[in-house]
Amino acid sequence: GHLVVACPPEDDDLKLAEKITERFGEEFGKAVFVETRVLGHARPQDNVFEVWLESYEIDLLHSKRQAFINSKVWKGPSEVDDEQLEYLVDR
């Protein structure tokens, strides 16, 4: 599979993307390729931090933006803490 982490060029977001990459590497090795897409045009107030898995289909696993603008439909948390990270790995 191909896991994509999309985030703005902010230090905290990049550190979190690195943490996700390392955790997926521990769990899946080379079976899952993790790519961080730095969205240079995104600003912190845009609340962009998304994680999706590309395989036969594209599955949105985490969306900070959806948690803020579409909370009636999107039921996940806005932040990736340790519990959410393990949820991503389990998915």
Side-chain angles (χ1 to χ4, degrees):
H2 181 186
L3 188 79
V4 178
V5 180
C7 65
E10 301 296 319
D11 287 342
D12 289 342
D13 290 326
L14 294 172
K15 287 177 186 174
L16 182 55
E18 184 176 348
K19 183 177 180 179
I20 291 169
T21 300
E22 289 172 357
R23 180 65 184 92
F24 271 76
E26 290 171 7
E27 187 72 24
F28 302 108
K30 293 184 180 186
V32 176
F33 174 76
V34 181
E35 173 189 358
T36 299
R37 293 185 187 168
V38 178
L39 307 174
H41 62 281
R43 302 165 297 167
Q45 59 267 33
D46 293 333
N47 292 313
V48 175
F49 193 97
E50 296 192 343
V51 180
W52 65 86
L53 183 64
E54 296 179 353
S55 57
Y56 295 110
E57 297 179 7
I58 297 174
D59 296 310
L60 184 61
L61 304 178
H62 177 83
S63 177
K64 182 177 184 178
R65 184 162 178 77
Q66 288 296 316
F68 280 95
I69 66 170
N70 200 11
S71 62
K72 290 183 181 180
V73 175
W74 185 260
K75 301 299 181 192
S78 62
E79 301 298 326
V80 177
D81 57 11
D82 290 341
E83 182 179 344
Q84 179 67 357
L85 179 55
E86 290 308 310
Y87 167 81
L88 296 175
V89 170
D90 290 342
R91 287 283 314 261

